[in-house]
Amino acid sequence: MILLGVNIDHVATVREARQTYEPDPVWAAAEAELGGADLITCHLRQDRRHVCDRDLRLLSETTAVELNLETSMEEEIVDIALETAPSKATLVPERRREVTTEGGLDVAAEVQRVSDVVKKLQDKGTRVSLFIDPDPEQIEESARAGAEEVELHTGPYAEAEGRSKREQCLRTLGRAAGKARKMDLVVNAGHGLTYRNVQPVAERLLPRELHIGHSIVSRSIFSGMKQAVSGMKDLIDRAESRVR
Ligand code: PXP
C-alpha cells in the first residue's frame, strides 16, 4: 500500500499570519492521523516562517505515526534534527526568500557534506531520505551518500502545462524511480501534488510514500482535516489498485 505523508506546515502558516496560537498544527496532525495519514511531516525552516520549535517538540511527543522532519543542511537545523531524532528525516535544500522548496537537493555538488549529515542522523536511529530532482546523477550520488531513500521532486510535473509535457515529466519520474530501485533506494515522491494530479504519479511510480501538504491543508479549510486526508488516501488507493 502506498503510504501518505501529510505535511502540516501550512496550518502553522495561517497561525503565523496573525502571530497567534491558532490554528494549531499539532491538532492538525492528530486530525490527519484520524483521517489515515501514515506519516506526519513538518519543515522547521531557519526563519521559522511556519512551524516553530514548540510545534516540533509537541509533534515529536504526540505523533503516533511516523514523524518525518524536513531538514536543511544548516548546522542549527541539523543539530535540532539530531536532538529530536525523529523516525525519519528528509534532507531538503532551503533558500531564504523562496515561497516553497524550489528544487531538489544538489547531492552531486556536496556529496561529502550530505553523507556526513546522513550518517549522523542514521546513528540516532533516523532513516534518511533525500529530496532530489529525478536526475540520474543525483540518484547515483544519493546512493553514494548512504541514504536509504529518495523523494523524487514532482513539482515540475505538477506545474507542466498540457498533456504531452505532463507525460514527459511522468516518463522522467518513472525512469528515475527505476534507476533508484536498481540502486536499492526506496522511492518516494512529492511536492505540488493535488487531488487532481496525484493519481498518475501513484500509478506510474508506485512509490512507498507520497508527501503532500498544501493541497490537503487547503481542502481541510472546507472539509476538515480528517476528511481531507481520507479523501486523498482514497484517491491514492484507487490509483494503486488499478495497477497492482
Ligand atoms: N516534499 C518536500 C520535500 C517538500 O519540501 C514539500 C513542501 O514542504 C512537500 C513534499 C509538500 O509539497 P506541497 O505542499 O506542494 O504538497
Side-chain angles (χ1 to χ4, degrees):
M1 195 187 64
I2 298 173
L3 304 177
L4 174 60
V6 176
N7 182 317
I8 44 78
D9 289 346
H10 293 308
V11 175
T13 303
V14 176
R15 178 190 62 193
E16 293 309 308
R18 281 294 174 92
Q19 300 187 337
T20 178
Y21 61 90
E22 63 181 2
D24 192 328
V26 182
W27 288 27
E31 285 284 308
E33 279 190 33
L34 292 174
D38 301 292
L39 302 97
I40 298 296
T41 299
C42 68
H43 182 180
L44 184 75
R45 296 183 78 103
Q46 266 197 299
D47 61 10
R48 308 296 197 273
R49 68 171 75 156
H50 38 56
V51 165
C52 63
D53 300 62
R54 166 266 185 202
D55 301 333
L56 176 60
R57 194 175 62 252
L58 290 181
L59 285 168
S60 92
E61 282 173 15
T62 59
T63 304
V65 295
E66 281 202 295
L67 179 65
N68 171 34
L69 178 60
E70 287 184 9
T71 307
S72 75
M73 299 283 292
E74 293 307 320
E75 202 179 327
E76 182 214 352
I77 301 297
V78 172
D79 284 348
I80 292 172
L82 291 170
E83 206 178 298
T84 309
S87 58
K88 170 167 178 163
T90 302
L91 297 187
V92 297
E94 192 176 302
R95 295 174 196 92
R96 276 189 182 267
R97 287 183 187 279
E98 66 190 356
V99 174
T100 180
T101 314
E102 278 169 358
L105 188 68
D106 192 354
V107 187
E110 47 180 357
V111 67
Q112 192 52 54
R113 187 164 167 233
V114 174
S115 145
D116 290 346
V117 174
V118 168
K119 170 102 183 37
K120 281 188 197 161
L121 285 163
Q122 287 170 338
D123 286 347
K124 291 279 179 183
T126 296
R127 64 193 171 89
V128 185
S129 178
L130 305 181
F131 178 62
I132 56 168
D133 292 332
D135 172 82
E137 190 190 8
Q138 297 296 343
I139 292 163
E140 280 164 24
E141 296 301 313
S142 297
R144 213 150 74 83
E148 297 102 318
E149 307 189 9
V150 288
E151 180 177 332
L152 299 176
H153 188 358
T154 49
Y157 157 77
E159 280 165 23
E161 280 178 22
R163 214 181 238 267
S164 92
K165 283 202 179 128
R166 272 195 299 277
E167 180 55 32
Q168 215 178 317
C169 290
L170 283 170
R171 274 203 294 269
T172 304
L173 285 162
R175 276 195 298 272
K179 182 172 176 74
R181 288 194 177 106
K182 271 200 198 127
M183 307 200 73
D184 287 331
L185 289 162
V186 171
V187 173
N188 308 303
H191 210 283
L193 297 178
T194 67
Y195 295 84
R196 291 182 183 189
N197 68 18
V198 72
Q199 288 195 315
V201 174
E203 280 173 31
R204 298 279 283 272
L205 301 192
L206 288 173
R208 178 176 192 273
E209 298 159 8
L210 285 172
H211 292 277
I212 307 177
H214 187 266
S215 188
I216 292 177
V217 172
S218 303
R219 182 158 295 193
S220 77
I221 290 172
F222 302 105
S223 69
M225 181 57 88
K226 208 162 113 183
Q227 204 177 318
V229 172
S230 68
M232 184 61 84
K233 283 277 295 182
D234 275 356
L235 282 176
I236 296 170
D237 287 350
R238 271 189 270 141
E240 185 177 10
S241 66
R242 286 201 282 271
V243 284
R244 280 226 220 258

